[in-house]
Amino acid sequence: MKRQASIQNVFAKKQSVNRPASDSAEVDCASNNVSSGVANIRVPLIQPQLRRTSTKQQIAVRGHRDGGGIGLEEPEKNDGNFRSLLRYRANSGDNDLQDQLMNSGGRSIYKSSFIQNELINTFGHLIQCQIVRNVRKFIFYSFLADETTDISQIEQLSLCVRYVEDQSYKIREDFLTFVPVYDVTSAGLANTVLETLSILGLDLKKMRGQGYDGAATMRGQFRGVQASIKEKLPLALYTHCSSHSLNLCLPDASNIPSIRNCMGVIKEICGFFQMSNKRTEILKSIMSDCCPEQKKKKLISLCETRWVEMLDSMFLFKDILESILLSLLKIEEESTGCCQLHITYLRSLKKIDLSQPIANVTSVLDLLSKQRVNANDNFKTMYTQIKEIAAKVDIKEEIPRVCRLQTVRNNVPYSTEEEYYLRAVYVSYLDDFCNSQKERFESHKETVASLQHILPEFCTKTDFYSLEAAFNFYEEDLSHKEVVQSEFMLWKEKWSQENSENLPKTAISSLEKCNKTFFPNIYILLKLLAVLPVSVATVERSFSSLRGFKTYLRNTISESRLNGLTLLSTHRDIKIRDEEVLDKFASVPRNLDVVL
């Protein structure tokens, strides 16, 4: 009873006049008898709890028929999860809720779809306000953006913000909102981004970074979104998503004819089996006999866009190569030769195990360079393994026909088959990958490379000259050059006395050990380094939430409801108290007073 009275006080805030003693007695009396004329608050009281739980678990609450009164008996038609949860709670011992559902009028029970949407919007607004307050405390921030088409064929632009929590020194990338866009030109997208961030309450002058994928509209150097924003905000440095950069290095390196043809054959064979249940069952049966220890019993399709995910497909294909060949032979015997082409392709595959070179791309460029230096020894081990696999499936060592003019074929000089594949495939792949990696990652400009020299791991080995490019770019955020140079000398001296094992390796660990009173400019440079975008994975994850809430059966969901549901589901760690939601809910003018 005390909790109910306290919640009534929250709703009573909208009353601007003091009630006489008789009215107070009437309210106290009405709280014991729901049918005495007081607008009931039991449903609004438990709605935030039900709404928070169902949204975080991505449970749809609206039903096809969710109007009218709520009885205690299950209806013939499905009236939605929310009404079912209310009915379950009322039948499980919540007498106040049961009385309200049975005795209150339709306008005072607060269970309509409009009230549900209002509570969802309230949750979303409070979460957004909390994120914006956290960003303002840290001052500097970067934003991440990407777009996708939802089930209703609406272009949705997802906006996320990257900042550092001021007290815990933890990098956060928080989803902010979805924005429907109809002008998908670079100028239109840039205006949409800036207007949305301004409406949310973020200071555009404190934006220090922008991150996108590699789409030409976003990254265009002269007319892209990043160029349009940088023209208005010169300090908003654009960085290409590192994950996409690494992902794009692999297609560049895989343009070698031998590797490209090999990938095409594997893709075609995977599709051949997956198009037929009968073929898949034949493969499963043969795999059970040949490799019973293998847990996966069917081929995995090669992902078109995420090359890292191809590893699983390539590893599995290599492990069950013998079973695949036996399955194709059995299918050929039972059919009219429809898979003869696949068998021919499979027997003519070049004896290169691409799983190991592909696994090596996750290493840094230095490691790949060492692999290139020791290419002969590394490839010899690989080639021995390849010959063992080839012997099991009766594949002979062959060298492609050498043509007179080198146009498509790679006519490298060789004395043995092993030397040919070493020079034509393995070394060529490593060279192309290293060159592509240098081009794409070194395009992250001299400013970022210069800014990294503020880290203790680097500053002890260099001087202020290495930091000068970063100082020139962020000059308006810093003090006079001589002051910054003096701070850098002190900062360098501070870490020169430490062992290399104890030096902080990241901007966050350096921030924790940086006295912002003694090193104010160093502190600012570390903050700037911490907020620069690294990847747009957070934006990609928001698309998963989008597809979870806006489905084929819920394709007319409003934009405000979609944003509220996504914010609630994504930010599970941001705690919003029920009293905050009810306070904001009660502050909105209504035709019917909440407390009479």
Side-chain angles (χ1 to χ4, degrees):
M1 186 62 66
K2 290 181 179 180
R3 177 171 174 78
Q4 186 169 351
S6 65
I7 299 299
Q8 282 182 335
N9 292 334
V10 173
F11 281 95
K13 287 182 179 180
K14 63 181 292 184
Q15 304 268 337
S16 59
V17 297
N18 295 327
R19 297 182 180 275
S22 58
D23 289 341
S24 299
E26 182 181 354
V27 171
D28 293 336
C29 179
S31 64
N32 294 321
N33 188 354
V34 180
S35 61
S36 63
V38 177
N40 296 288
I41 64 167
R42 189 59 178 163
V43 174
L45 176 62
I46 66 174
Q47 271 223 47
Q49 303 166 11
L50 296 179
R51 173 57 60 187
R52 182 188 294 107
T53 302
S54 59
T55 302
K56 287 183 176 181
Q57 300 305 121
Q58 295 194 358
I59 301 175
V61 293
R62 294 284 302 277
H64 183 62
R65 298 175 177 84
D66 56 358
I70 302 179
L72 299 180
E73 301 293 332
E74 287 290 337
E76 295 182 0
K77 303 290 185 179
N78 184 6
D79 59 353
N81 292 327
F82 175 70
R83 295 164 71 91
S84 296
L85 288 172
L86 287 178
R87 189 181 299 110
Y88 172 79
R89 181 159 179 166
N91 289 328
S92 299
D94 193 336
N95 296 326
D96 293 336
L97 177 61
Q98 188 177 106
D99 290 342
Q100 182 174 356
L101 294 178
M102 297 301 296
N103 302 321
S104 296
R107 296 183 61 192
S108 62
I109 200 170
Y110 302 104
K111 60 176 177 54
S112 69
S113 59
F114 299 102
I115 297 297
Q116 293 183 41
N117 288 337
E118 188 174 345
L119 284 171
I120 292 172
N121 296 340
T122 301
F123 267 115
H125 178 73
L126 291 174
I127 292 173
Q128 282 180 338
C129 290
Q130 181 64 45
I131 295 173
V132 171
R133 284 196 296 268
N134 293 340
V135 174
R136 286 175 175 172
K137 290 179 182 178
F138 190 73
I139 303 178
F140 300 119
Y141 68 94
S142 298
F143 80 91
L144 314 171
D146 200 358
E147 54 183 327
T148 187
T149 304
D150 63 22
I151 193 67
S152 300
Q153 301 302 311
I154 297 176
E155 198 76 18
Q156 297 281 359
L157 179 67
S158 175
L159 289 178
C160 300
V161 63
R162 177 184 171 96
Y163 63 100
V164 178
E165 286 187 339
D166 195 38
Q167 296 180 349
S168 63
Y169 293 107
K170 177 183 177 182
I171 295 178
R172 290 188 62 97
E173 291 183 354
D174 290 337
F175 167 78
L176 283 175
T177 186
F178 287 120
V179 184
V181 291
Y182 304 98
D183 182 3
V184 294
T185 63
S186 58
L189 290 173
N191 291 331
T192 300
V193 168
L194 296 179
E195 290 175 4
T196 304
L197 293 177
S198 298
I199 292 173
L200 292 174
L202 294 174
D203 187 359
L204 297 181
K205 295 181 179 179
K206 301 301 181 182
M207 183 195 300
R208 291 297 178 266
Q210 45 180 327
Y212 319 108
D213 59 9
T217 305
M218 309 300 288
R219 66 175 176 86
Q221 185 176 357
F222 301 105
R223 301 181 62 182
V225 173
Q226 65 96 5
S228 300
I229 292 179
K230 199 169 182 180
E231 183 179 356
K232 300 177 182 178
L233 304 168
L235 296 182
L237 184 67
Y238 163 68
T239 55
H240 192 178
C241 172
S242 298
S243 299
H244 283 83
S245 296
L246 179 61
N247 199 40
L248 291 170
C249 290
L250 286 160
D252 293 343
S254 298
N255 285 329
I256 300 172
S258 300
I259 298 178
R260 185 179 63 241
N261 296 340
C262 177
M263 302 292 287
V265 170
I266 293 175
K267 180 179 177 181
E268 189 172 352
I269 291 175
C270 291
F272 177 76
F273 280 99
Q274 292 177 349
M275 284 190 299
S276 170
N277 291 334
K278 182 180 179 181
R279 298 169 192 162
T280 303
E281 290 300 323
I282 292 175
L283 178 61
K284 288 181 180 179
S285 176
I286 294 179
M287 285 178 61
S288 300
D289 298 333
C290 296
C291 44
E293 71 284 352
Q294 179 62 248
K295 295 181 180 180
K296 296 180 180 179
K297 298 299 182 182
K298 62 180 182 179
L299 291 171
I300 303 174
S301 299
L302 272 67
C303 182
E304 294 287 347
T305 56
R306 304 184 189 280
W307 277 73
V308 178
E309 294 186 5
M310 284 190 177
L311 278 175
D312 293 337
S313 304
M314 301 297 295
F315 280 134
L316 180 61
F317 193 92
K318 182 198 72 171
D319 293 339
I320 63 173
L321 182 60
E322 184 178 3
S323 301
I324 293 173
L325 184 58
L326 294 175
S327 301
L328 290 174
L329 291 172
K330 184 174 181 180
I331 294 171
E332 183 190 18
E333 293 174 358
E334 297 178 357
S335 61
T336 58
C338 65
C339 64
Q340 180 60 43
L341 183 61
H342 298 92
I343 298 174
T344 304
Y345 280 156
L346 194 60
R347 289 189 179 276
S348 64
L349 278 176
K350 307 299 183 280
K351 276 67 71 178
I352 291 298
D353 184 0
L354 292 179
S355 60
Q356 292 201 19
I358 291 176
N360 288 337
V361 302
T362 58
S363 303
V364 294
L365 187 58
D366 291 340
L367 179 59
L368 289 174
S369 300
K370 293 178 181 178
Q371 292 264 340
R372 174 64 180 85
V373 172
N374 301 321
N376 292 336
D377 296 335
N378 295 330
F379 185 74
K380 186 172 295 185
T381 304
M382 290 176 53
Y383 199 74
T384 302
Q385 298 175 0
I386 294 169
K387 290 176 67 174
E388 293 176 358
I389 297 174
K392 293 181 180 179
V393 293
D394 194 22
I395 295 178
K396 299 179 181 179
E397 288 184 89
E398 295 179 356
I399 296 175
R401 177 178 57 86
V402 178
C403 56
R404 184 170 60 86
L405 296 177
Q406 182 172 332
T407 54
V408 178
R409 297 182 185 274
N410 194 2
N411 297 338
V412 296
Y414 66 93
S415 56
T416 63
E417 289 84 356
E418 179 180 347
E419 185 178 4
Y420 172 82
Y421 288 112
L422 169 66
R423 293 183 176 184
V425 181
Y426 185 71
V427 172
S428 299
Y429 184 86
L430 286 179
D431 287 342
D432 288 353
F433 183 77
C434 290
N435 292 333
S436 178
Q437 199 173 27
K438 287 179 181 179
E439 292 175 2
R440 294 189 177 277
F441 283 93
E442 287 182 0
S443 64
H444 281 282
K445 310 296 190 281
E446 59 175 352
T447 302
V448 179
S450 174
L451 196 57
Q452 290 178 346
H453 288 93
I454 202 65
L455 298 176
E457 184 181 13
F458 297 100
C459 74
T460 56
K461 306 173 186 177
T462 186
D463 53 16
F464 183 75
Y465 177 78
S466 303
L467 193 65
E468 197 163 359
F471 171 81
N472 294 334
F473 188 80
Y474 295 111
E475 188 172 2
E476 69 177 64
D477 293 329
L478 304 171
S479 302
H480 193 271
K481 183 176 181 179
E482 294 180 356
V483 177
V484 179
Q485 188 171 1
S486 300
E487 280 188 30
F488 180 82
M489 298 297 292
L490 292 172
W491 179 254
K492 178 180 178 180
E493 182 65 24
K494 170 184 171 66
W495 295 109
S496 297
Q497 303 171 7
E498 296 285 343
N499 295 327
S500 58
E501 296 81 8
N502 300 329
L503 295 179
K505 302 296 190 296
T506 63
I508 289 298
S509 58
S510 302
L511 271 173
E512 294 178 1
K513 298 182 179 181
C514 179
N515 188 334
K516 60 181 177 182
T517 304
F518 197 68
F519 299 105
N521 292 287
I522 301 296
Y523 190 78
I524 290 175
L525 289 172
L526 289 171
K527 289 166 67 174
L528 293 171
L529 179 60
V531 301
L532 287 179
V534 177
S535 171
V536 295
T538 303
V539 186
E540 302 284 353
R541 282 193 288 269
S542 70
F543 295 155
S544 299
S545 297
L546 169 66
R547 295 183 179 92
F549 289 115
K550 194 165 186 178
T551 63
Y552 175 78
L553 296 178
R554 290 181 284 170
N555 56 51
T556 59
I557 186 173
S558 66
E559 201 67 29
S560 58
R561 182 182 175 92
L562 174 63
N563 281 322
L565 292 172
T566 306
L567 285 164
L568 255 177
S569 174
T570 303
H571 301 294
R572 304 171 71 93
D573 56 335
I574 297 180
K575 307 301 182 184
I576 302 297
R577 296 181 295 109
D578 295 345
E579 287 74 9
E580 293 182 69
V581 179
L582 295 174
D583 192 5
K584 187 172 181 59
F585 178 79
S587 65
V588 178
R590 304 181 187 282
N591 294 330
L592 179 66
D593 288 341
V594 178
V595 179
L596 299 177

